[in-house]
C-alpha cells in the first residue's frame, strides 16, 4: 500500500472548491513563492515547528532530545536547527505543543478513512475532497490512489496545483480528478522566477494541455501588489485564459496570515513590507477578467 507525507487534514473547508470539503495537505513543493502561506509544506521531509509563546520552560524537550539540540535560555527553549536531526522526541514530550512535528507518514487507507467520515456533508453541500500542499502532485501516485477510491464512492475530487510538475503526473491523476484549481502567478518567465524561484514554462504548457483536453479548471491567481498586479499583465492574462476556453478565475488577494509560521520553522519572511491589496483594487482587477467573458471570484 502506498504511503505519503501529510502535514494537515482540514475538515469543513469552504475555500478549496465547491461545497464543504476535506482538504488533504501534502508535504513538498518545487516552488518557493515569496508569499507562501504554508512555508512548512515546502520541504519534502518533516519540520519541527516551535511556537515561542506556548513554551512554559518546563525543560522536558531538553531532556528528551538525543543530540542536545535544545537549550533553555532566559526561560525560553532554543532549538539549534543546525544540530537538530528532526527525530521529534522533543515534540512528543512537549506538554503545550510549543514544539510540533509537521509532516506525518500516512497510508492511502488512513487518509481515505478520514475523508469518508464527512461523506454526509459532501452529499448535502456538493462538496468533496481537495488535495493541496505544498504541491500535491509531488506525491502524485499517492494522490491517485486516494482519489481513485473516492471516485469509486462517488466523492467529488479536486486538486490545488502549481502545475510545475511533469505532464505524465497530471495526465494520470486527471483520470480520477474532477476539478483542477490551477495556480498561475505570472506570464513573464523572469518575473515568475523572481516570485517563485522557478520558470513558468512548464506551468503554462501544462495548463494549455488541460484546457485543450477540456478538463474542468479554475485558474487561481494570487494577487501580490507590485509583483503581478499591473494592468497590462492582468489584461494579457485574461486574454490568454479566455483564448484557451477557460471560463473561471479566482483572484486571491495577498495576505500576511502565514507570516508567523516562518519564525516557527526558523525561516525569514521575505516580503514584510508588501501591502495587502485594497477591496477597490481587487474590484478593478476583477473587471479586467470579466471584460474577457470570464467569471471571477475574489478569494478561494
Ligand atoms: S517541552 Fe515544550 S513547553 Fe517545555 S520547555 Fe520544551 S518547548 Fe517549552
Ligand atoms: S506553490 Fe504554493 S505551496 Fe508551493 S511555494 Fe508557492 S505558495 Fe507555497
Amino acid at each position: 500500500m502506498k504511503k505519503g507525507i501529510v502535514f494537515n487534514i482540514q475538515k469543513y473547508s469552504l475555500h478549496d472548491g465547491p461545497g464543504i470539503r476535506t482538504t488533504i495537505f501534502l508535504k513538498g513543493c518545487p516552488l518557493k513563492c515569496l508569499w507562501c502561506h504554508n512555508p512548512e509544506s515546502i520541504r519534502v521531509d518533516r519540520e519541527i515547528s516551535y511556537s515561542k509563546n506556548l513554551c512554559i520552560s518546563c525543560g522536558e524537550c531538553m531532556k528528551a532530545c538525543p543530540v542536545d539540540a535544545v537549550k533553555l535560555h532566559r526561560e525560553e527553549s532554543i532549538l539549534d536547527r543546525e544540530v537538530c536531526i528532526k527525530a521529534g522526541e522533543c515534540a512528543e514530550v512537549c506538554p503545550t505543543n510549543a514544539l510540533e512535528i509537521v509532516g506525518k507518514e500516512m497510508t492511502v487507507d488512513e487518509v481515505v478513512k478520514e475523508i469518508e467520515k464527512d461523506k454526509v456533508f459532501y452529499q448535502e453541500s456538493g462538496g468533496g475532497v481537495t488535495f493541496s500542499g505544498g504541491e500535491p502532485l509531488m506525491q502524485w501516485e499517492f494522490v491517485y490512489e486516494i482519489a481513485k477510491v473516492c471516485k469509486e464512492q462517488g466523492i467529488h475530487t479536486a486538486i490545488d496545483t502549481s502545475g510545475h510538475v511533469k505532464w505524465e503526473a497530471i495526465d494520470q491523476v486527471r483520470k480520477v480528478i474532477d476539478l483542477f484549481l490551477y495556480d498561475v502567478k505570472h506570464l513573464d518567465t523572469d518575473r515568475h522566477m523572481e516570485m517563485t524561484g522557478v520558470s513558468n514554462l512548464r506551468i503554462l504548457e501544462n495548463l494549455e494541455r488541460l484546457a485543450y483536453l477540456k478538463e474542468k479548471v479554475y485558474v487561481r491567481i494570487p494577487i501580490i501588489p507590485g509583483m503581478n498586479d499591473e494592468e497590462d499583465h492582468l489584461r494579457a492574462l485574461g486574454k490568454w485564459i479566455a483564448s484557451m476556453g477557460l471560463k473561471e478565475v479566482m483572484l486571491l488577494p495577498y495576505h500576511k496570515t502565514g507570516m508567523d509560521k516562518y519564525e516557527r520553522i526558523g525561516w525569514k519572511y521575505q516580503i514584510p513590507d508588501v501591502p495587502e491589496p485594497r477591496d477597490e483594487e481587487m474590484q478593478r482587477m476583477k473587471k479586467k477578467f470579466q471584460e474577457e467573458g470570464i467569471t471571477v471570484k475574489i478569494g478561494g
Side-chain angles (χ1 to χ4, degrees), residues 5 50 60 83 89 112 138 146-147 171 175 218 241 263 265:
I5 311 281
Y50 172 58
E60 290 302 317
V83 178
E89 276 94 334
V112 168
M138 281 187 80
I146 300 166
D171 199 29
K175 296 171 189 158
Y218 294 171
I241 291 167
E263 197 187 348
I265 58 166

Side-chain angles (χ1 to χ4, degrees), residues 194-260:
E194 285 162 23
M195 292 169 74
T196 69
V198 302
S199 155
N200 60 1
L201 295 179
R202 180 186 255 181
I203 295 169
L204 304 184
E205 191 185 313
N206 284 341
L207 181 55
E208 283 172 352
R209 286 190 183 196
L210 278 175
Y212 177 76
L213 292 165
K214 306 243 176 294
E215 294 292 347
K216 181 85 181 148
V217 179
Y218 294 171
V219 180
R220 309 223 301 181
I221 306 167
I223 298 294
I224 318 296
M227 294 192 198
N228 65 351
D229 61 341
E230 308 90 333
E231 295 238 346
D232 287 355
H233 176 241
L234 296 178
R235 193 174 298 114
L237 202 43
K239 284 192 187 306
W240 178 64
I241 291 167
S243 74
M244 291 185 284
L246 298 177
K247 299 264 180 253
E248 267 145 316
V249 161
M250 290 167 162
L251 297 179
L252 312 176
Y254 166 71
H255 59 81
K256 296 175 192 272
T257 49
M259 233 169 119
D260 56 339

Side-chain angles (χ1 to χ4, degrees), residues 45-281:
D45 58 342
R46 62 189 194 168
E47 298 274 356
I48 304 289
S49 162
Y50 172 58
S51 306
K52 208 165 31 179
N53 57 329
L54 295 179
C55 177
I56 53 166
S57 317
C58 67
E60 290 302 317
C61 51
M62 222 168 62
K63 289 185 228 156
C65 179
V67 292
D68 275 342
V70 199
K71 304 263 180 292
L72 268 184
H73 178 67
R74 292 191 185 161
E75 307 206 329
E76 188 184 295
S77 162
I78 308 278
L79 175 63
D80 185 341
R81 291 180 189 273
E82 297 287 313
V83 178
C84 176
I85 55 167
K86 300 182 187 172
E89 276 94 334
C90 56
E92 277 162 26
V93 297
C94 177
T96 62
N97 292 334
L99 283 162
E100 282 183 306
I101 300 167
V102 183
K104 179 183 169 196
E105 195 173 73
M106 291 183 83
T107 64
V108 169
D109 270 0
E110 284 169 335
V111 177
V112 168
K113 276 201 186 92
E114 285 301 314
I115 295 167
E116 282 172 341
K117 284 181 189 166
D118 293 322
K119 246 174 150 176
V120 62
F121 293 108
Y122 313 147
Q123 280 154 4
E124 281 175 15
S125 68
V129 61
T130 300
F131 301 92
S132 185
E135 169 49 66
L137 290 176
M138 281 187 80
Q139 302 186 54
W140 73 265
E141 287 154 306
F142 185 57
V143 168
Y144 177 85
E145 295 293 332
I146 300 166
K148 187 162 161 265
V149 181
C150 291
K151 288 305 302 162
E152 284 161 7
Q153 298 193 27
I155 298 172
H156 182 270
T157 55
I159 191 160
D160 179 7
T161 178
S162 69
H164 189 67
V165 292
K166 57 183 182 183
W167 169 251
E168 290 69 25
I170 298 179
D171 199 29
Q172 286 300 317
V173 299
R174 74 187 181 90
K175 296 171 189 158
V176 288
I177 291 291
D178 297 310
L179 170 66
F180 285 84
L181 305 168
Y182 198 105
D183 300 350
V184 175
K185 281 107 184 180
H186 211 293
L187 282 180
D188 181 84
T189 303
D190 292 339
R191 295 293 294 277
H192 194 274
M193 281 286 259
E194 285 162 23
M195 292 169 74
T196 69
V198 302
S199 155
N200 60 1
L201 295 179
R202 180 186 255 181
I203 295 169
L204 304 184
E205 191 185 313
N206 284 341
L207 181 55
E208 283 172 352
R209 286 190 183 196
L210 278 175
Y212 177 76
L213 292 165
K214 306 243 176 294
E215 294 292 347
K216 181 85 181 148
V217 179
Y218 294 171
V219 180
R220 309 223 301 181
I221 306 167
I223 298 294
I224 318 296
M227 294 192 198
N228 65 351
D229 61 341
E230 308 90 333
E231 295 238 346
D232 287 355
H233 176 241
L234 296 178
R235 193 174 298 114
L237 202 43
K239 284 192 187 306
W240 178 64
I241 291 167
S243 74
M244 291 185 284
L246 298 177
K247 299 264 180 253
E248 267 145 316
V249 161
M250 290 167 162
L251 297 179
L252 312 176
Y254 166 71
H255 59 81
K256 296 175 192 272
T257 49
M259 233 169 119
D260 56 339
K261 291 184 181 178
Y262 283 74
E263 197 187 348
R264 279 189 238 148
I265 58 166
W267 288 15
K268 190 173 182 299
Y269 191 65
Q270 299 291 318
I271 52 169
D273 299 329
V274 170
E276 295 181 355
R278 295 196 309 271
D279 284 350
E280 54 269 33
E281 287 166 336

